[in-house]
Amino acid sequence: MTGDLKIVLEFSAGAELLFDNIKKREITLPSTEKWTIRNLLKWMKENILRERPELFIQGDTVRPGILVLINDTDWELLGELDYELQQKDNILFISTLHGG
Amino acid sequence: MCSIGEDDFGDEGGVHSMIPDVKTSQPQLSIDNDILCNKCKQPGATYKLAFREPECKECFLNYVRHKFRAALGSSKVLPKNANVLLVFDCSAQSLVLLDMLHHAQTQNTFKRLHCNATVLYIDDYQMHIDGECSPEYEKHLKDVQSTCSTYEHFDCYILPLVKTDTVNDLIFNLKYLPEEYSANVDKHKSQFKELLNCMRSLTSKQDFIKHYRSKVIGLAAKHFQCQFAFKADISSDLASDLLAAIALGRGGSAALDVALVDNRLDDDIKIVRPLKDLTEEEINLYVIAQNLKLLEQRSYGSDFGPSASLQNLTKAFVEDLQQNYSSTVSTVFRTGSKIASQMDEKSELCCVFCKSVLDYKDSNTLLAIEFSRIVSECGIKTEDISELSMEAHKHVEGDIEGRDLTKVCHACRNIYADSSNKDILLL
């Protein structure tokens, strides 16, 4: 479908360990709904989050201590969960939690 | 006992307890690059650190680099043209330290940091793998070589974590690393690994490695005639190190574990921690901003989970609190910086292993611990109480199992007690 949303997800500093140890992946989201970071996190939890979801998700947002950069810009500057995803957006999740 | 919400406070309770961070909702901003940087007032703010306003990449880099320079500058610890050994351990923070030092040395004359730096990678990969050298290890070595080669300004060396008597023979230049390096050092590395296996608990192993590394750093610094060794510890590392040191019975020297300058090493070599004021968040954003390539890094024992050792548990405790109480690390760390160490230093009064000031003299606490231990060991046998007390005194003074441990501090004696190799602290 031409309207599908293609974005890139990147994981760094240990966050990749929860996602099959894959640091970078391109995903295609169906155009059936308006995609925000909030929906994306839900989608990630259901589809690609493999291990210990509590280390990544807390409620409907990411766990404190995980930095989110959208196209190299801190998500806090872009509306956080309400940011509407655009074609070819690059979402980077950096974990500042390294466990014991 | 301390408690919250009692009459002494004159409140209903809970007011003095810690309150989790309240997440303020951020106004929806447009995605154009029109967010102004709070510092330079130009559009293009991309980073928003906790407790700071949005800022652009350049201002962010200036801010974190300033923290590094200020740590060195305000303390006036580094004389001009000093020889510095930069200890690289593949972690993100040591990569940031390398990059910052490189940047500081490539500034114009006015701003340049005048020192002669040598980079040393302490190769402890063998502790994380079982068996022979693997292709992963070879790849890891290549990655380290390629990272270091991007900083042509510095001479980079590699030293495997081995017994101290072989340190000087096993330092190699990373640029001209012999083909047979891994085969040559394999024997030495396995010897060290066997040494580690003499200890029963992970707590002792981690404590041993921490202080052994400092010892090796001191020897390497002497080898390169460096009076200073830069370590890339950041505030979160130091906060958990401080609490772990206290839990391990190293309270007497805990201040030096988190201070900017640690002067415990022999030959007047000082360990300096110029990144001590940086946070994990700043390190990660610096890596992104400078597009640095992260290397694989593991710390010994971290795979075994939080309850495997006192250090892991302390680290997990601090990190867990930090999630919802974002001032945890700074509170612990700042408290640590206010603790003064005992400074009546005479070389003969230092621990042979960790070089801390000996802490057992006239210690009633240790006497109570030893007395309690001896009474427990006695079981139901009745002994003369004064004899038990004499025995406890002997133990505190360092006469344990007929060996002279008078020059070993309390915490290092715990390592000794946990090890089947009774010469472990003399290596």
Side-chain angles (χ1 to χ4, degrees):
Chain A
M1 268 178 73
T2 50
D4 287 352
L5 186 64
K6 287 187 178 174
I7 59 168
V8 176
L9 298 181
E10 282 191 77
F11 303 93
S12 172
E16 70 276 12
L17 297 172
L18 307 174
F19 293 87
D20 284 333
N21 217 359
I22 299 170
K23 285 194 168 217
K24 186 173 183 176
R25 59 170 99 203
E26 281 182 33
I27 59 163
T28 306
L29 301 168
S31 58
T32 46
E33 56 182 307
K34 192 175 96 176
W35 284 96
T36 59
I37 294 284
R38 192 187 310 274
N39 305 348
L40 175 70
L41 290 176
K42 207 172 151 196
W43 182 89
M44 286 168 74
K45 188 180 174 187
E46 285 164 7
N47 292 284
I48 56 174
L49 181 57
R50 295 281 178 254
E51 283 184 52
R52 304 176 69 184
E54 73 279 7
L55 290 187
F56 187 75
I57 300 271
Q58 196 173 78
D60 64 347
T61 184
V62 290
R63 191 181 162 182
I66 292 182
L67 303 177
V68 185
L69 298 186
I70 304 168
N71 302 324
D72 285 341
T73 299
D74 200 314
W75 75 327
E76 285 191 39
L77 305 176
L78 300 172
E80 298 193 13
L81 292 170
D82 297 324
Y83 170 77
E84 196 175 325
L85 293 172
Q86 312 290 317
Q87 284 290 356
K88 295 181 184 170
D89 268 353
N90 185 310
I91 323 283
L92 169 59
F93 298 90
I94 311 167
S95 169
T96 60
L97 318 163
H98 298 297
Chain B
M1 285 289 284
C2 298
S3 57
I4 298 295
E6 289 185 351
D7 293 343
D8 301 357
F9 289 102
D11 60 41
E12 295 294 310
V15 175
H16 293 276
S17 60
M18 287 176 27
I19 299 162
D21 296 343
V22 180
K23 194 82 181 159
T24 50
S25 61
Q26 200 72 22
Q28 175 75 52
L29 298 162
S30 78
I31 54 163
D32 305 327
N33 280 345
D34 59 359
I35 307 164
L36 290 185
C37 165
N38 194 53
K39 184 83 180 166
C40 65
K41 310 294 179 203
Q42 299 295 314
T46 50
Y47 299 131
K48 167 79 181 68
L49 291 167
F51 307 120
R52 280 179 68 82
E53 297 297 321
E55 55 198 333
C56 66
K57 186 171 144 182
E58 276 310 306
C59 292
F60 164 75
L61 287 174
N62 284 339
Y63 164 69
V64 281
R65 282 173 180 150
H66 176 74
K67 276 192 172 183
F68 162 69
R69 293 298 296 267
L72 292 175
S74 62
S75 61
K76 296 193 171 68
V77 61
L78 205 64
K80 199 170 179 182
N81 295 327
N83 290 335
V84 170
L85 183 74
L86 192 156
V87 183
F88 181 70
D89 61 6
C90 289
S91 61
Q93 46 263 47
S94 69
L95 202 56
V96 169
L97 178 60
L98 187 60
D99 194 76
M100 281 189 178
L101 192 63
H102 182 259
H103 179 265
Q105 295 210 308
T106 47
Q107 293 283 284
N108 63 34
T109 321
F110 179 63
K111 285 186 175 173
R112 188 180 303 156
L113 181 68
H114 293 276
C115 67
N116 310 311
T118 306
V119 178
L120 178 75
Y121 167 55
I122 298 183
D123 173 16
D124 59 359
Y125 200 87
Q126 84 270 20
M127 295 195 299
H128 310 296
I129 48 164
D130 291 319
E132 298 294 306
C133 292
S134 57
E136 289 89 43
Y137 173 62
E138 297 294 335
K139 184 182 171 293
H140 174 74
L141 269 186
K142 288 225 155 49
D143 287 345
V144 175
Q145 274 178 300
S146 107
T147 301
C148 290
S149 65
T150 53
Y151 299 98
E152 289 175 357
H153 208 73
F154 303 128
D155 282 333
C156 302
Y157 293 86
I158 184 168
L159 165 67
L161 193 59
V162 291
K163 288 186 182 175
T164 48
D165 53 353
T166 47
V167 161
N168 285 338
D169 305 326
L170 294 175
I171 296 178
F172 295 95
N173 191 323
L174 262 177
K175 218 185 219 174
Y176 313 108
L177 196 63
E179 287 276 314
E180 62 279 8
Y181 165 79
S182 24
N184 275 354
V185 298
D186 211 31
K187 190 182 83 187
H188 299 282
K189 285 168 139 188
S190 355
Q191 279 176 352
F192 185 77
K193 212 172 168 181
E194 279 168 24
L195 201 67
L196 269 190
N197 291 336
C198 293
M199 281 167 275
R200 279 188 296 271
S201 70
L202 185 62
T203 301
S204 299
K205 288 180 187 179
Q206 285 179 324
D207 197 29
F208 176 80
I209 289 172
K210 180 175 186 289
H211 292 279
Y212 194 80
R213 275 180 77 94
S214 298
K215 217 168 167 174
V216 169
I217 289 169
L219 289 171
K222 193 179 171 193
H223 176 89
F224 290 110
Q225 296 176 336
C226 296
Q227 209 203 329
F228 299 93
F230 279 8
K231 271 184 80 189
D233 298 328
I234 57 170
S235 56
S236 49
D237 301 332
L238 296 175
S240 43
D241 276 2
L242 175 77
L243 294 182
I246 292 168
L248 289 167
R250 295 192 179 277
S253 58
L256 288 173
D257 281 338
V258 297
L260 174 71
V261 181
D262 179 352
N263 56 2
R264 274 177 291 183
L265 294 180
D266 289 334
D267 305 303
D268 205 23
I269 291 162
K270 295 178 175 71
I271 290 181
V272 183
R273 304 183 177 94
L275 299 190
K276 71 179 181 68
D277 294 316
L278 266 72
T279 64
E280 191 98 41
E281 192 183 17
E282 286 161 353
I283 292 289
N284 283 313
L285 290 179
Y286 188 95
V287 168
I288 302 291
Q290 284 289 83
N291 208 8
L292 303 178
K293 189 176 167 241
L294 284 175
L295 294 161
E296 184 196 358
Q297 192 252 349
R298 286 188 264 184
S299 58
Y300 181 73
S302 59
D303 303 343
F304 298 113
S307 51
S309 72
L310 261 176
Q311 292 90 332
N312 286 5
L313 194 61
T314 315
K315 197 171 163 55
F317 170 71
V318 171
E319 281 179 352
D320 198 38
L321 266 183
Q322 176 73 12
Q323 301 315 306
N324 293 313
Y325 306 94
S326 50
S327 299
T328 304
V329 163
S330 60
T331 307
V332 175
F333 167 63
R334 295 287 167 211
T335 309
S337 65
K338 291 182 183 72
I339 302 173
S341 59
Q342 300 171 18
M343 290 308 289
D344 55 336
E345 283 176 45
K346 287 180 194 160
S347 56
E348 70 265 28
L349 292 177
C350 289
C351 172
V352 283
F353 182 64
C354 70
K355 307 292 174 195
S356 308
V357 176
L358 289 179
D359 51 3
Y360 63 83
K361 296 259 183 223
D362 308 321
S363 169
N364 289 331
T365 316
L366 291 182
L367 188 62
I369 292 171
E370 287 301 333
F371 189 80
S372 164
R373 193 179 58 78
I374 290 168
V375 169
S376 307
E377 280 174 3
C378 273
I380 52 167
K381 277 189 288 176
T382 47
E383 300 250 356
D384 185 2
I385 194 91
S386 60
E387 248 177 59
L388 292 181
S389 182
M390 285 279 284
E391 187 69 16
H393 264 289
K394 268 171 68 182
H395 272 257
V396 172
E397 291 302 316
D399 181 6
I400 301 170
E401 297 162 18
R403 290 183 72 111
D404 179 20
L405 292 181
T406 45
K407 288 185 179 169
V408 180
C409 70
H410 166 64
C412 290
R413 282 183 197 171
N414 288 341
I415 298 179
Y416 170 87
D418 197 42
S419 169
S420 56
N421 180 346
K422 295 303 179 190
D423 293 322
I424 195 154
L425 300 178
L426 303 171
L427 296 164

